[in-house]
Amino acid sequence: MSVAVIDSGLGGVAVLRELLAIAPGANVDYLADHAGHPYGNRSPADIAARMARLADAALGLGASGIIVACNTATAVAVDALRSRLPGVPIVGIEPPVKPAAALTRTGVIGVLATAPTASSSRVARLVESHAEGVRVLVTGCPGLADAVEAGAIEAPATTALVRRYVGPLLAAGADVLAIGCTHYAFLADTIATIAGADVAIVDGSAAVARRAATVVPGLAEGAGRLRWYSSDVRAADGLARAWGEPVSVRPVAW
Ligand code: DGL
């Protein structure tokens, strides 16, 4: 059996790493929708349609479970995906509002996400049910996922962009920042440097990997086979960068 990890691009590699750390035997197909990246610039309906196609491609490869390693796709499309594919275990990722709210001492937390995630009703509900008494500042961060996908993690322009989004959160008293986009996990060091030692950074990748290991039957029992796919292989260089070694990326058949 195998599990599919899907994202608009390289962001899901952060989840993949955590998954293989706890289930090294997992057979994984990583599917990236580079032809549709960034999802942050797309409408919810468009993202849902692309996710449906990507999930079908994953099932065509033999996946018996799907990890939607993309906060944006989870926020706007995971419900539709679950109704479309009843019986397929589907695990999504959401901004880690609950652990962030549990950590704050100032009573203010920041959430960094794409614009569609930030304005989604799913995240509004998350805040309502898991952050009582805490002021939650959810910030859409246009441009950040593109910078990560382009390999510009250490570029001064990227640092300036992070500063622009994080600065107001710090000024408002946030002492915890939740990473609400899997691409931003690759900017954790930049965010931490800008935020300073008194601000905690919370990422949900490990929790999602743990959940996947419990809900996808037989996930840990494979031979550790890893395959890479993209809807635009010409734009898939970031996968090797994120993974840390060369990878051979095949086109998604859809
Ligand atoms: N990695 C995605 C997320 O977690 C989306 C980035 C994008 O395509 O804008 O939200």
Side-chain angles (χ1 to χ4, degrees):
M1 66 72 64
S2 65
V3 67
V5 176
I6 63 182
D7 181 35
S8 64
L10 64 77
V13 175
V15 175
L16 173 66
R17 273 193 191 294
E18 298 292 348
L19 181 71
L20 293 179
I22 57 170
N27 291 329
V28 182
D29 288 324
Y30 188 98
L31 284 81
D33 184 12
H34 284 106
H37 182 87
Y39 280 2
N41 291 356
R42 293 189 174 270
S43 69
D46 191 9
I47 296 165
R50 302 194 73 91
M51 269 292 123
R53 289 176 70 196
L54 210 55
D56 284 349
L59 297 180
L61 290 168
S64 46
I66 296 174
I67 303 174
V68 181
C70 175
N71 290 263
T72 313
T74 301
V76 305
V78 82
D79 291 338
L81 207 57
R82 288 193 175 118
S83 345
R84 199 166 171 273
L85 303 171
V88 178
I90 297 175
V91 179
I93 183 165
E94 292 186 309
V97 168
K98 192 177 177 182
L103 267 184
T104 182
R105 292 178 313 264
T106 61
V108 184
I109 66 172
V111 177
L112 302 167
T114 65
T117 303
S119 60
S120 68
S121 53
R122 210 179 159 93
V123 165
R125 281 200 304 275
L126 193 64
V127 169
E128 218 176 276
S129 40
H130 293 301
E132 217 194 307
V134 172
R135 188 168 170 226
V136 183
L137 305 169
V138 187
T139 301
C141 306
L144 272 195
D146 313 59
V148 172
E149 196 68 46
I153 285 174
E154 281 163 14
T158 305
T159 305
L161 202 54
V162 173
R163 202 181 295 281
R164 189 161 102 203
Y165 295 133
V166 167
L169 303 176
L170 303 176
D175 64 346
V176 184
L177 298 177
I179 295 191
C181 168
T182 49
H183 278 73
Y184 306 168
F186 294 90
L187 290 170
D189 288 349
T190 307
I191 296 168
T193 304
I194 289 169
D198 293 338
V199 173
I201 314 292
V202 181
D203 177 47
S205 304
V208 168
R210 282 196 299 274
R211 173 145 182 76
T214 62
V215 306
V216 182
L219 182 133
E221 290 153 25
R225 185 215 65 208
L226 178 56
R227 300 187 298 195
W228 301 87
Y229 296 86
S230 171
S231 57
D232 184 357
V233 292
R234 294 162 309 174
D237 296 358
L239 294 177
R241 219 180 310 111
W243 183 239
E245 53 188 87
V247 296
S248 150
V249 185
R250 307 170 213 207
V252 174
W254 67 2

